[in-house]
Amino acid sequence: MGKEESPQITRRTTRSSSSTTVETTKASDSHPPTINDLVFGEDLISLNDLLSSFPGRRIQILELVRLLGTSNSPMLPLFMYGGASSGKTSIILQMFRHLNCPFVYSSCRSCYSPRILFESVLNQLLLHRKNAANGYSSAKRCERPSDFVNFLREALSNVINNSKGNPRKLETKKLVGQADGNMIYLIFDNLELVREWDKSSTILPFLFNLYDFLKMPEVGLIFVSNTSPDTYYSNMGYMDPIPVHFPDYTEDDLCQIFLRNQANRKLYSSFLDVVLRPFCRITRRVDELSTAFSPLFEKYGEPLSDLGVVPNEETKRRLFSHLQPHIAPSLNEVFKVSSQSSPEAQSNKETKKKSSRRKLGVCEEIDESDFHMSTSAKYLLISAFLASRNPATLDASLFDSMGGFDSRKRKRKPSQKSLEHKETAEQELLMKGPGTFPLERLLAIFQCLTSVAEGSIDEEEQGNEGLGVQGGDGGLMSDVLLQLSSLCNANFIIKGGSCPLEGSTRYRSTLCEDMALKVARSLKFPLSKYLYRR
Amino acid sequence: MGRVNPAEEALNLLRTRLCNPSFVFKPLSDSPDSNYSKLKFLISSSVTEACNNSILLLGPRGSGKIAVLELVLKDLLLEYPDMISVITLSGLLHCDDNSAFKEIARQLCAEHQLLFSKMASFDDNSQFMIAMLRECGLAHKTIIFVLDEFDLFAQGKQRVLYSLLDAMQSVTSQAVVIGVSCRLDADQLLEKRVRSRFSHRKLLFLPPSKEDLQRLLEHILSLPVDSTLPHDYAVEFNSKLQNVLADEKFKQIINTYMNSDATVNHLLKLLFRVVSSMDLGSGFLSLENFKTALSNNQRQPKLECIKDCSILELYILVCMKRLEIKEQNSYNFNSVMKEYKSIRDSFQTSDYYARNVCIRAFEHLLQRELICFTDNRGHNQSVEFRPAKLLILSHELHQGLKSYRSCPAILLKLMDREV
């Protein structure tokens, strides 16, 4: 029982791979898998342990326990839904640890296409491990739902017959890792991602109807999703599974959750009294709050010499006043995960801030900008920004052949109509977003800008004539297309629609004005003179 | 071996019954004019008289068409052993002819212990099917084709249907084609050449009447008196159950529940919840179980979503509502931010957060499906510029705000005023 056979793979092997397979099979085959591998496999936990490890989820856990029933009773499909990081996946997995039943878990996030999903479920049921011996291939190749139903039925009946064949002694002490009951459960996690798949109109009804297709009472289906069941309705109907709702945590629950695993609970609870309420006005998700709280808690504990002390009222007030000025800026950074800076950089930052408080203003942040780009990439960014921002008809006047700029139009006193124009133009900018441009225009602007830059460098050096400009230009141009593709991958430039006449693709810059000004300042490039303001 | 709690045993028994459609639909099939008897008569007559036949079973999803069909087939297989083979196809799985014929061939091979080759081509499979039909016809064996989700087979060119029905007519075959569909107009979807070969027999599966419903409830929930359960416990359970079933409030609960969907499967879901919430201490079902099950099943998903929102997200929703009231046809995140800023300027609220925080709150709302983008797959714009719209009605938003714990009063005022 449980003998695994590696399928015969007929494909060409290189000499080296065929010579090394012999040793690896021996090493990995020491432990043939059985159905007990489908069980959670760690120490059993009681219901009270389960309830205490998930504060605030008592009602949902009890409801789930009742709906799942004992391991011998069949059940109708369940649908667990709730917001992100509300504990659905962890609760259902720990629940199976408590029930000690075999289950097959697959997430539609890691199995991102129907084929991978089907093969993952089948691999787990057929107790097939992907290793070097079978070339990391699945047990069965399965792409279509019809094949999946057939294979699944076979695999499930095998598993269930094998489990029935083992007579289970009813002992008072349950062995770790031994499955009991004869039900087997299939869990499909992250179901909301299936709606984005190409074949979602057939796959979703198929998954929901899977219980009817299989017609096996020993199989339980559990779906876990971030969105409620009414977002799955489509033309093709199916029998609704039984919904179990996981509401977001209340503030008391969040207190309890954050207090777990803390070394000094009194200190942390006084910290939570200060920060929890303002942060809960923005978000109540556990993952976002925990990343926001950890640096704040460090700052909170700074004045204390000993972090194990229990704070009294006076200490609490002192700590609160120390933390107070940091709360408001931290609220505005709540979703940012700051990069870990080295201690030397941090001390540098502090000395710098003290000295140059008013001199440089915004400029000092540039030196500590979180990303580094080459000069040509920065010029490309600025060119893309200008191309998106300015209408094409202005290029000729803004960039003349020398790369300089003409004197602007005579400034007239703004009349009422032009003010209104300005407002509507701003509104349009707000609504429509950045414009699209073809590749040629981007390269032309880039060439103009870099020739200016080269020209200014040359003026300083006073060495070259016009030819020098050409040579340097060639150097910057050669890898500009490479730079462009890496900027596209980083989403600084995105593909817009295609030109209706020619069918060539157009691009759009996603840079906001502040960022563009920052980049231009780092290059000492007078961007504001090139910006078109109506 | 310890004594198993009788309540647990009863619970397991009830759950097994609820998950077993054959058990559930048996009492509905007892009368002589039920769909069960009509279907059985039709199929058995075509088996005994060695003729072809076709019929459509129509009815809303969950009214037990497949369950009744399975009951009929089970009984017929007992009555006429070795004279019937059943091939089941589903429109969801096998809607294109390649996979349909492959599946037919596979099932025929499994039935008659022949070797099935996965490499067989479409022509091979169809030839095989026609040959099998002929052989079975000569041997006086009937093949029953069950086509589930029949309306999906009627999409496209209907090649499967046509070849099947054509084979039945041209070859000396004994075959019965049973189509099962939720669309009551499934036969109108057929092409002319297919429809001419299809008999127009239809069996409608209607929702059960009130008396049938009562009988069904008793049949499912009553414990058997002479089984492994203790006798006294089963008798007391049944009498308590009768009390509950006769209660006026219980009838109201059932009527409210079945108003939305009157099929038997819908009722089974309610009963499953009721049975799972049975109090294992006392071991009896009470009216409370039914009440909690009903309230658990009546969900208002948008209100639940609003309760989960944070205050900043509520601000964004109210801003979008105000933009809609001002009759701006399309607005995007930037316009929402402008409105948010104007609210802050005029009302001096303390909840003013930076743009990046608001954009993440906007994305949370997108994930919760309270708002969505109006352009489909317009991924060539960033989040701030894509036009968005609300997916929640104004009265739902209003109700949600009112029932929100610690909702800022300013939001309710903003919703009420037309300014």
Side-chain angles (χ1 to χ4, degrees):
Chain A
M1 183 208 104
K3 239 174 88 166
E4 63 168 314
E5 321 165 334
S6 40
Q8 297 296 324
I9 310 168
T10 52
R11 54 174 232 265
R12 289 189 288 256
T13 54
T14 60
R15 250 177 272 151
S16 58
S17 64
S18 52
S19 62
T20 53
T21 39
V22 183
E23 294 89 87
T24 46
T25 38
K26 290 247 167 52
S28 58
D29 210 15
S30 55
H31 169 70
T34 65
I35 186 185
N36 292 327
D37 281 342
L38 289 177
V39 181
F40 201 93
E42 289 174 23
D43 290 337
L44 291 179
I45 54 178
S46 69
L47 187 62
N48 285 333
D49 287 341
L50 191 63
L51 286 171
S52 59
S53 51
F54 291 103
R57 285 280 177 240
R58 190 188 165 81
I59 303 179
Q60 282 78 34
I61 293 181
L62 290 177
E63 195 180 344
L64 271 179
V65 165
R66 279 199 297 263
L67 285 171
L68 284 173
T70 63
S71 51
N72 276 332
S73 65
M75 63 169 228
L76 297 178
L78 287 186
F79 189 93
M80 297 165 54
Y81 68 101
S85 84
S86 46
K88 308 179 288 292
T89 310
S90 33
I91 285 183
I92 194 73
L93 290 175
Q94 293 295 319
M95 175 97 43
F96 278 106
R97 183 174 164 193
H98 160 66
L99 290 174
N100 203 25
C101 292
F103 65 96
V104 171
Y105 173 87
S106 49
S107 162
C108 299
R109 196 184 291 277
S110 45
C111 307
Y112 51 87
S113 82
R115 178 175 158 198
I116 302 181
L117 180 66
F118 297 155
E119 287 184 2
S120 148
V121 173
L122 287 173
N123 284 346
Q124 291 185 61
L125 277 176
L126 295 170
L127 307 168
H128 169 91
R129 295 246 198 292
K130 288 190 189 184
N131 50 27
N134 49 36
Y136 299 102
S137 67
S138 313
K140 287 203 174 16
R141 195 199 147 91
C142 175
E143 257 189 48
R144 282 196 291 247
S146 46
D147 298 332
F148 179 59
V149 172
N150 291 335
F151 290 145
L152 189 63
R153 217 180 262 140
E154 253 181 65
L156 283 170
S157 9
N158 273 344
V159 165
I160 292 169
N161 288 338
N162 284 340
S163 78
K164 278 196 191 135
N166 278 344
R168 217 163 312 279
K169 300 183 283 255
L170 281 172
E171 300 168 357
T172 47
K173 210 167 89 163
K174 291 194 184 121
L175 296 173
V176 171
Q178 188 99 28
D180 42 50
N182 54 358
M183 290 280 292
I184 181 163
Y185 300 89
L186 301 179
I187 306 178
F188 292 97
D189 201 355
N190 298 121
L191 204 64
E192 74 278 359
L193 296 172
V194 179
R195 295 179 302 165
E196 319 282 328
W197 290 357
D198 286 335
K199 300 217 184 78
S200 64
S201 55
T202 45
I203 294 288
L204 268 179
F206 167 68
L207 283 177
F208 283 124
N209 276 327
L210 193 58
Y211 185 69
D212 291 329
F213 284 135
L214 289 176
K215 292 200 181 51
M216 300 171 90
E218 295 97 350
V219 178
L221 283 179
I222 299 170
F223 300 104
V224 181
S225 151
N226 272 352
T227 55
S228 54
D230 60 325
T231 55
Y232 290 89
Y233 292 157
S234 62
N235 279 338
M236 172 78 204
Y238 47 83
M239 290 310 300
D240 290 323
I242 297 182
V244 179
H245 177 53
F246 277 69
D248 273 1
Y249 294 108
T250 62
E251 288 187 20
D252 303 323
D253 298 333
L254 284 172
C255 259
Q256 277 183 312
I257 292 176
F258 282 117
L259 278 177
R260 294 180 70 215
N261 302 334
Q262 286 294 335
N264 186 352
R265 297 171 82 106
K266 292 261 163 46
L267 184 64
Y268 205 83
S269 76
S270 63
F271 166 69
L272 283 181
D273 289 336
V274 173
V275 290
L276 194 62
R277 188 142 298 195
F279 274 83
C280 276
R281 291 177 86 87
I282 301 183
T283 174
R284 293 211 303 257
R285 275 170 58 161
V286 176
D287 48 353
E288 290 170 354
L289 285 176
S290 60
T291 44
F293 283 170
S294 37
L296 268 185
F297 184 59
E298 281 175 21
K299 219 175 240 352
Y300 186 71
E302 266 171 12
L304 284 180
S305 48
D306 167 27
L307 279 176
V309 70
V310 173
N312 53 10
E313 281 306 315
E314 200 250 299
T315 347
K316 278 192 203 168
R317 250 175 279 139
R318 188 165 54 101
L319 293 172
F320 172 67
S321 49
H322 173 79
L323 188 64
Q324 174 84 12
H326 298 281
I327 295 186
S330 169
L331 277 176
N332 277 333
E333 304 271 307
V334 110
F335 294 119
K336 270 201 210 166
V337 182
S338 54
S339 46
Q340 300 282 359
S341 47
S342 57
E344 298 92 14
Q346 266 187 342
S347 53
N348 273 348
K349 235 200 287 195
E350 294 196 6
T351 50
K352 245 198 220 173
K353 274 207 174 95
K354 281 188 197 136
S355 58
S356 58
R357 195 164 285 267
R358 209 181 297 167
K359 249 194 295 179
L360 296 174
V362 185
C363 257
E364 59 184 331
E365 297 169 29
I366 305 301
D367 303 334
E368 309 148 25
S369 62
D370 286 332
F371 62 94
H372 301 278
M373 294 176 78
S374 59
T375 316
S376 69
K378 285 186 185 168
Y379 272 112
L380 202 58
L381 260 187
I382 297 177
S383 329
F385 177 71
L386 284 175
S388 271
R389 196 47 200 280
N390 297 343
T393 47
L394 262 141
D395 283 351
S397 60
L398 275 183
F399 310 104
D400 63 0
S401 54
M402 281 309 293
F405 54 92
D406 276 347
S407 56
R408 272 173 291 152
K409 310 186 274 202
R410 277 180 296 129
K411 264 194 125 157
R412 269 180 268 142
K413 208 171 74 155
S415 62
Q416 183 65 19
K417 239 195 207 172
S418 66
L419 278 175
E420 279 174 12
H421 267 281
K422 236 182 153 180
E423 263 190 50
T424 47
E426 266 182 40
Q427 180 79 2
E428 247 190 75
L429 192 64
L430 217 53
M431 280 301 298
K432 264 193 341 183
T436 55
F437 50 85
L439 188 59
E440 297 83 24
R441 185 171 163 220
L442 171 68
L443 293 177
I445 298 181
F446 177 71
Q447 217 163 2
C448 287
L449 294 186
T450 48
S451 63
V452 171
E454 295 291 306
S456 59
I457 296 175
D458 292 341
E459 274 165 22
E460 288 171 12
E461 290 179 355
Q462 288 179 355
N464 304 317
E465 283 117 0
L467 281 169
V469 176
Q470 296 290 346
D473 213 15
L476 270 181
M477 278 296 287
S478 62
D479 60 345
V480 89
L481 292 175
L482 265 177
Q483 297 276 14
L484 182 63
S485 67
S486 51
L487 285 181
C488 279
N489 283 340
N491 270 342
F492 283 117
I493 300 181
I494 50 180
K495 283 208 169 88
S498 49
C499 168
L501 288 175
E502 296 161 28
S504 56
T505 51
R506 294 171 77 93
Y507 296 88
R508 215 193 280 270
S509 143
T510 57
L511 219 55
C512 66
E513 194 168 331
D514 299 332
M515 194 65 196
L517 285 170
K518 266 195 216 173
V519 174
R521 223 174 284 131
S522 76
L523 289 174
K524 300 202 178 42
F525 179 78
L527 182 68
S528 46
K529 295 189 184 146
Y530 287 85
L531 278 181
Y532 173 64
R533 297 197 195 283
R534 290 168 220 246
Chain B
M1 193 166 138
R3 219 172 55 92
V4 184
N5 188 0
E8 267 188 37
E9 210 185 314
L11 182 63
N12 278 353
L13 176 71
L14 290 175
R15 283 169 67 117
T16 321
R17 281 184 183 176
L18 286 170
C19 299
N20 182 5
S22 318
F23 180 86
V24 169
F25 284 95
K26 233 172 159 17
L28 290 178
S29 317
D30 281 340
S31 61
D33 60 345
S34 67
N35 286 331
Y36 167 86
S37 356
K38 289 184 200 160
L39 191 59
K40 189 163 174 196
F41 176 69
L42 180 81
I43 303 182
S44 52
S45 61
S46 61
V47 170
T48 47
E49 290 166 24
C51 60
N52 290 330
N53 236 323
S54 52
I55 187 171
L56 273 182
L57 304 180
L58 302 175
R61 203 172 277 279
S63 23
K65 309 179 284 291
I66 295 279
V68 168
L69 180 63
E70 302 250 309
L71 278 175
V72 169
L73 290 176
K74 206 164 61 159
D75 291 341
L76 285 177
L77 282 170
L78 288 174
E79 268 180 58
Y80 306 100
D82 287 339
M83 285 178 67
I84 303 181
S85 35
V86 181
I87 310 282
T88 318
L89 290 179
S90 164
L92 194 52
L93 299 177
H94 313 119
C95 56
D96 67 312
D97 32 4
N98 266 335
S99 43
F101 277 104
K102 188 165 145 182
E103 184 65 19
I104 294 177
R106 190 189 70 85
Q107 293 192 21
L108 282 173
C109 290
E111 185 93 21
H112 299 271
Q113 274 101 35
L114 299 168
L115 277 179
F116 173 68
S117 153
K118 283 187 226 168
M119 294 297 145
S121 72
F122 170 70
D123 286 329
D124 291 339
N125 285 333
S126 59
Q127 297 284 349
F128 174 64
M129 182 187 85
I130 296 179
M132 282 300 291
L133 275 175
R134 192 183 311 124
E135 290 303 317
C136 288
L138 290 174
H140 293 294
K141 283 181 74 149
T142 315
I143 305 186
I144 301 183
F145 289 94
V146 177
L147 299 177
D148 202 0
E149 314 286 353
F150 188 74
D151 45 306
L152 292 179
F153 280 114
Q155 283 173 356
K157 285 198 160 186
Q158 307 182 5
R159 258 183 96 179
V160 180
L161 290 178
Y162 178 68
S163 0
L164 198 54
L165 293 169
D166 196 38
M168 275 165 56
Q169 292 214 325
S170 47
V171 169
T172 58
S173 63
Q174 275 177 246
V176 180
V177 173
I178 305 177
V180 180
S181 173
C182 308
R183 284 183 68 158
L184 298 180
D185 61 341
D187 55 337
Q188 311 286 336
L189 299 168
L190 297 174
E191 279 177 9
K192 204 165 76 125
R193 58 179 186 167
V194 178
R195 200 187 311 172
S196 59
R197 289 174 170 79
F198 200 84
S199 84
H200 285 80
R201 279 195 204 87
K202 286 190 266 202
L203 271 184
L204 281 180
F205 280 75
L206 299 168
S209 62
K210 288 218 166 52
E211 298 82 24
D212 284 340
L213 213 53
Q214 196 75 1
R215 263 198 313 147
L216 190 65
L217 282 167
E218 279 177 24
H219 169 76
I220 295 177
L221 293 176
S222 307
L223 291 180
V225 188
D226 51 354
S227 68
T228 54
L229 293 168
H231 179 85
D232 304 327
Y233 168 67
V235 166
E236 199 181 344
F237 183 93
N238 291 345
S239 72
K240 283 218 159 82
L241 181 70
Q242 288 297 332
N243 287 344
V244 172
L245 291 183
D247 195 345
E248 257 317 302
K249 289 195 213 137
F250 171 79
K251 293 200 176 43
Q252 254 182 359
I253 292 177
I254 292 287
N255 283 344
T256 324
Y257 186 72
M258 301 291 275
N259 270 343
S260 59
D261 185 352
T263 55
V264 176
N265 248 326
H266 196 58
L267 179 67
L268 289 182
K269 291 205 170 6
L270 179 73
L271 291 180
F272 188 80
R273 262 214 138 97
V274 167
V275 162
S276 339
S277 61
M278 182 168 92
D279 178 20
L280 284 175
S282 66
F284 302 120
L285 287 176
S286 70
L287 194 61
E288 282 310 309
N289 296 126
F290 284 91
K291 278 191 192 150
T292 42
L294 182 69
S295 57
N296 273 338
N297 267 348
Q298 284 178 335
R299 300 202 158 274
Q300 295 191 301
K302 294 285 189 230
L303 286 182
E304 285 171 350
C305 278
I306 295 265
K307 246 187 239 153
D308 286 345
C309 281
S310 66
I311 292 185
L312 177 59
E313 291 164 16
L314 289 179
Y315 263 98
I316 294 185
L317 284 176
V318 169
C319 287
M320 289 178 81
K321 189 76 229 150
R322 282 167 65 87
L323 285 176
E324 280 196 357
I325 291 177
K326 288 185 194 167
E327 289 186 31
Q328 279 199 2
N329 290 339
S330 72
Y331 50 88
N332 57 14
F333 175 72
N334 283 335
S335 349
V336 175
M337 282 308 290
K338 222 168 86 166
E339 180 72 22
Y340 183 52
K341 192 161 182 311
S342 76
I343 287 181
R344 192 249 184 161
D345 291 338
S346 42
F347 293 104
Q348 306 295 327
T349 55
S350 58
D351 283 309
Y352 190 68
Y353 301 106
R355 189 189 165 87
N356 55 343
V357 177
C358 292
I359 224 184
R360 280 303 279 265
F362 193 74
E363 284 178 3
H364 285 334
L365 285 175
L366 283 169
Q367 276 172 8
R368 287 194 215 274
E369 305 253 333
L370 283 171
I371 64 181
C372 73
F373 290 126
T374 50
D375 54 351
N376 289 337
R377 294 194 175 264
H379 287 306
N380 38 6
Q381 277 277 31
S382 12
V383 172
E384 313 147 306
F385 295 108
R386 288 176 70 181
K389 72 173 184 207
L390 277 175
L391 285 179
I392 179 171
L393 298 171
S394 81
H395 74 85
E396 283 175 334
L397 185 56
H398 209 104
Q399 203 179 348
L401 284 177
K402 274 208 206 114
S403 56
Y404 191 85
R405 224 165 47 156
S406 69
C407 171
I410 184 78
L411 284 179
L412 283 169
K413 267 200 288 182
L414 285 170
M415 278 291 292
D416 284 334
R417 274 198 257 174
E418 288 282 327
V419 177

